[in-house]
Amino acid sequence: MSDEFEATIEAKSLLKQQNPAVEALRRLLRHRSAQLGLFIIFVLVVLAIFAEQIAPYDPIKPIKTAKRRDVPCIHLLGCPADQEEHIMGVDGNSRDLFSRIIYGSRLSLQIGLTTITFAILVGGLLGAVAGFVGGWLDDVIMRSLDVLMAFPSLLLAIAIVSIFGPGLRNALLAIAIVQIPVYARVVRAGVLSVRELDYVTASRSMGASELRVLFTRVLPNALTPLIVQGTLGIATAILSAAALSFLGLGAEFPTPEWGLMLGEERNSVFNAPHLVFFPGFAIMLTVLSFNLLGDGLRDTLDPRLRGL
Amino acid sequence: MLQYIARRLLMLLPVMIGILLVTFIIVRLIPGDPCYTMLGEKATPEKCNLFKERYGLNDSIPVQFLRYVQNLAQGDLGESIRDRRPIADVVAERLPMTIELTIMAMIFASVVGVLMGVMAALKRNSFADLFTMLVANVGVSMPVFWLGLLLAYVFALVLKGTPFYLPPSSRLSAGLSIVPLADYWGIQNATGMGKFLLDLISNSAILNGLLRGDMQLVLDALRHLILPSFAVGTISLAVIARMTRSSLLEVLGQDYVRTARAKGLTQRVVITKHALRNALIPIVTIIGIQTGQLLSGAVLTETIFSLPGVGSRMVEAILSRDYPVVQGFAVVVALIFVFTNLIVDISYAYLDPRIRLD
């Protein structure tokens, strides 16, 4: 075997090693469900950023000229031109439903991102400490989190809201707290899997401080499952927030929150079904997109996690 | 096997203590003086003293916790502030509805979910497979309450007047009601746990009807549960179908399945005796994990179908700041959840003898 040949192989593997992130992204973009998920998320983000420009009406102020709970009127589909256009109809407080749905995307994305960031920071820290320090601290932290997991998640969130009182901010806090154990477990598992490996010991023997070892050598191993779990967690968080708002424990009137919109109009499902259909459909599409992206990430980043 | 069950029961102990602590702390964490929070505008210093005396709030926290545990052990969950009823009675009245709904939803989700998963795995990439994966993806993303409302719209309004009509609300049709078993059997003087259990059974419309031989009541109760359990079960159905598919696909690629085929066994025997039995462990696990999901779903769905269950009462209690009721339900639901997980653990130790030895 010639030296030249070996050198090419080395160069090629070096090239590959240089950008594993780019490689992963390339695989992700080829993944069917990830494509669909990313597309929906992209549309949602555009809607959320340009809500002011896209929404034809104010999401909160009632329209004086509109009929309450009016059916959708789309000019292209044969609605008389002398009537105001309301693509998704008018809600029980004479507000344009389409505009409210658009503004709702802003809120939903914020809800998903903030709760999961909070849960990852707190849960990740707890999991890292538990896994890295070990001993009685590990037992105390993990057993306490087991207790949190002994409650069905939505019911625990409801109970926590009952302590803080209803309201969107408290509902988000409750949802974040409920999700903490998930991330603590993910990070702890990642930490445990490498804690005793040679390269960690090597780093330590070269004089790296415990914190440095933790952050630069150990924690990066927990990153992949954390990204996957976090994406799926956004879906769960959006769904739970909508549920709490639906029950009247989350967002309050007149916030354009999809779950609240559904809750406000649930009694008019028989005479104005469109007021129930559209907000629910928006929730479903958003949750679906994050689920699809999460599945795609799991398949491309770490095939071992499949079926979890 | 017995040893395994005993060990699992022991491991439950710390979790149970934790549950008691959490539910105890929940009520202590409420900001402000509990007396003012609970009595509201009626609170005066004298009334507050009486109130604290009555609920033992002047004692130290550990003493209060011990008393709480002691009372719980005797089946005393405290008293609702709003209507002064013992919480055990409220639980006995509301819990059966939620359990009926959860069980119905679980049966629906596991039977249909496993069937769909098996079909998808056997006919990979066929239309059935595509349909199952579509249901699996959309199903987990659907808000339970939305699906419930849509089902009510379709089956109670669009299909009105056809044989497919299904009632969209309440537990029983007008004119039907539950006869308390205590009256029926003439046992009015039961107390404590006995009374609680009797009420629990009596308030389950299905059990009540079965025990009294009133089939009309049973059928009517079941009919009212179809739409809610469809709504509650869909998420779990999606998860179970997906798990069954991937688990069965994995098993079908194993050598012993090929051996079974090579021996000339029929497809049916290969699937049911060899493949499915081994694929069942993750499926059973996932069904167990779904119990919490189903309970949560039941809570959300009750408000839509105006069913008198735990969920609707718990939300009422939160909005009216009736904390002991929230506390009571939290304890009961967490205990149910923990024990379901125990049963799941035991059932897969039964399915897979290797697990018992760990």
Side-chain angles (χ1 to χ4, degrees):
Chain A
M1 212 176 281
S2 69
D3 283 353
E4 203 184 6
F5 183 55
E6 254 172 63
T8 346
I9 288 185
E10 206 175 320
K12 269 192 180 158
S13 60
L14 261 181
L15 255 180
K16 262 198 177 151
Q17 270 172 9
Q18 268 169 358
N19 42 18
V22 175
E23 173 65 18
L25 190 68
R26 227 158 47 89
R27 261 182 297 159
L28 183 70
L29 289 177
R30 275 205 306 263
H31 194 276
R32 265 297 162 72
S33 53
Q35 284 171 350
L36 185 58
L38 276 173
F39 174 72
I40 303 175
I41 293 173
F42 174 74
V43 173
L44 282 168
V45 170
V46 170
L47 288 182
I49 293 176
F50 298 106
E52 274 100 353
Q53 284 75 27
I54 296 170
Y57 293 92
D58 188 283
I60 290 168
K61 265 194 244 130
I63 306 162
K64 295 216 176 76
T65 49
K67 210 175 98 200
R68 277 177 63 213
R69 302 214 169 85
D70 206 358
V71 290
C73 165
I74 305 168
H75 288 159
L76 277 177
L77 294 180
C79 177
D82 53 336
Q83 276 183 37
E84 273 176 26
E85 186 167 52
H86 295 288
I87 301 178
M88 295 180 181
V90 180
D91 80 353
N93 289 298
S94 307
R95 296 167 298 192
D96 180 51
L97 189 64
F98 179 59
S99 306
R100 285 176 67 72
I101 298 266
I102 301 281
Y103 275 91
S105 66
R106 193 175 270 190
L107 210 56
S108 277
L109 292 178
Q110 281 171 352
I111 288 169
L113 290 178
T114 46
T115 47
I116 294 310
T117 312
F118 182 87
I120 285 182
L121 284 181
V122 178
L125 188 72
L126 286 174
V129 169
F132 200 60
V133 178
W136 64 269
L137 197 59
D138 183 24
D139 280 337
V140 169
I141 293 178
M142 294 321 284
R143 291 299 83 74
S144 320
L145 293 178
D146 279 354
V147 172
L148 276 190
M149 290 187 101
F151 295 87
S153 59
L154 186 71
L155 293 184
L156 181 59
I158 291 179
I160 296 176
V161 170
S162 79
I163 304 172
F164 300 132
L168 186 57
R169 221 187 41 203
N170 293 342
L172 296 189
L173 195 59
I175 294 166
I177 293 176
V178 170
Q179 296 242 8
I180 285 175
V182 180
Y183 300 101
R185 285 187 166 199
V186 167
V187 171
R188 179 173 174 272
V191 170
L192 282 184
S193 66
V194 297
R195 197 176 59 170
E196 308 296 340
L197 290 190
D198 286 345
Y199 76 92
V200 176
T201 321
S203 177
R204 222 178 246 139
S205 58
M206 279 160 74
S209 69
E210 287 297 291
L211 269 185
R212 188 181 161 78
V213 171
L214 179 63
F215 278 100
T216 63
R217 297 286 177 264
V218 175
L219 274 188
N221 286 287
L223 209 58
T224 307
L226 208 56
I227 292 174
V228 173
Q229 203 61 52
T231 313
L232 295 172
I234 293 178
T236 319
I238 294 176
L239 210 52
S240 313
L244 287 178
S245 296
F246 175 82
L247 289 174
L249 303 173
E252 280 155 79
F253 180 87
T255 321
E257 204 277 339
W258 293 335
L260 178 68
M261 288 156 73
L262 246 170
E264 279 173 345
E265 297 297 344
R266 66 165 173 243
N267 291 326
S268 38
V269 62
F270 292 127
N271 41 35
H274 58 280
L275 294 181
V276 164
F277 177 77
F278 289 117
F281 192 71
I283 299 173
M284 190 196 78
L285 222 57
T286 312
V287 175
L288 180 67
S289 67
F290 282 102
N291 275 332
L292 289 176
L293 179 63
D295 283 351
L297 281 169
R298 179 168 54 199
D299 288 354
T300 51
L301 289 179
D302 196 350
R304 280 172 308 166
L305 289 173
R306 237 176 271 186
L308 258 182
Chain B
M1 193 70 193
L2 270 178
Q3 207 189 355
Y4 174 80
I5 296 176
R7 209 167 53 214
R8 289 289 295 117
L9 274 174
L10 262 180
M11 276 161 64
L12 271 187
L13 223 58
V15 175
M16 306 263 281
I17 294 173
I19 290 174
L20 294 180
L21 260 174
V22 168
T23 47
F24 174 76
I25 292 169
I26 277 183
V27 172
R28 312 293 126 175
L29 274 181
I30 298 159
D33 192 320
C35 163
Y36 287 94
T37 325
M38 289 180 176
L39 291 181
E41 289 164 11
K42 285 179 283 184
T44 57
E46 300 91 73
K47 269 194 175 168
C48 267
N49 269 334
L50 266 175
F51 179 89
K52 285 186 177 161
E53 197 78 29
R54 180 161 172 213
Y55 290 97
L57 295 175
N58 290 329
D59 301 331
S60 70
I61 296 286
V63 171
Q64 286 188 40
F65 180 67
L66 281 181
R67 195 172 44 229
Y68 170 65
V69 175
Q70 206 176 6
N71 287 342
L72 267 184
Q74 292 167 351
D76 179 5
L77 291 164
E79 196 178 63
S80 158
I81 293 167
R82 208 186 48 177
D83 46 17
R84 302 256 166 234
R85 285 176 62 197
I87 287 162
D89 285 7
V90 181
V91 171
E93 178 188 292
R94 294 296 186 129
L95 193 60
M97 167 84 253
T98 304
I99 293 182
E100 277 178 9
L101 179 53
T102 308
I103 291 178
M104 279 278 283
M106 191 184 287
I107 294 174
F108 165 72
S110 14
V111 172
V112 180
V114 170
L115 276 178
M116 280 177 77
V118 170
M119 254 167 25
L122 293 183
K123 301 230 154 80
R124 213 176 160 186
N125 296 326
S126 68
F127 175 74
D129 188 16
L130 205 74
F131 179 72
T132 302
M133 289 319 282
L134 187 78
V135 169
N137 272 314
V138 175
V140 284
S141 309
M142 231 186 292
V144 176
F145 42 96
W146 183 57
L147 182 61
L149 286 168
L150 292 186
L151 286 172
Y153 177 74
V154 171
F155 283 94
L157 192 77
V158 178
L159 294 176
K160 199 170 186 172
T162 69
F164 298 106
Y165 168 82
L166 286 169
S169 69
S170 71
R171 185 176 193 184
L172 296 167
S173 300
L176 282 177
S177 64
I178 291 172
V179 179
L181 287 176
D183 296 349
Y184 185 72
W185 287 334
I187 349 173
Q188 261 96 357
N189 49 2
T191 48
M193 213 51 172
K195 179 179 184 302
F196 179 72
L197 287 177
L198 185 65
D199 284 351
L200 215 54
I201 297 170
S202 171
N203 281 318
S204 154
I206 294 172
L207 283 181
N208 187 303
L210 282 177
L211 285 172
R212 291 190 301 111
D214 186 348
M215 285 329 268
Q216 202 198 348
L217 186 77
V218 176
L219 288 178
D220 191 65
L222 283 175
R223 238 168 83 84
H224 278 86
L225 278 178
I226 294 178
L227 287 186
S229 43
F230 193 152
V232 173
T234 299
I235 294 187
S236 304
L237 181 151
V239 178
I240 292 170
R242 207 166 150 157
M243 193 46 136
T244 309
R245 178 181 179 273
S246 66
S247 167
L248 193 58
L249 275 179
E250 202 182 310
V251 171
L252 283 176
Q254 301 281 331
D255 287 346
Y256 62 81
V257 171
R258 199 183 47 205
T259 311
R261 285 221 171 96
K263 281 199 304 196
L265 295 179
T266 58
Q267 171 79 345
R268 206 172 55 103
V269 175
V270 173
I271 300 298
T272 52
K273 287 255 166 70
H274 294 249
L276 203 53
R277 206 179 155 151
N278 280 294
L280 221 51
I281 293 166
I283 301 172
V284 170
T285 317
I286 213 80
I287 291 177
I289 294 173
Q290 288 301 312
T291 321
Q293 181 81 50
L294 288 168
L295 273 171
S296 306
V299 164
L300 279 170
T301 315
E302 281 163 12
T303 53
I304 297 167
F305 292 97
S306 29
L307 298 170
V310 170
S312 36
R313 186 70 181 81
M314 200 152 149
V315 175
E316 253 173 65
I318 292 176
L319 294 176
S320 63
R321 305 201 151 238
D322 197 346
Y323 299 111
V325 171
V326 181
Q327 188 183 32
F329 278 137
V331 174
V332 172
V333 168
L335 291 184
I336 292 176
F337 191 44
V338 166
F339 275 101
T340 325
N341 285 337
L342 176 73
I343 292 169
V344 171
D345 282 358
I346 293 172
S347 70
Y348 60 66
Y350 168 76
L351 284 171
D352 185 353
R354 281 169 303 181
I355 293 172
R356 282 173 234 166
L357 299 172
D358 278 346

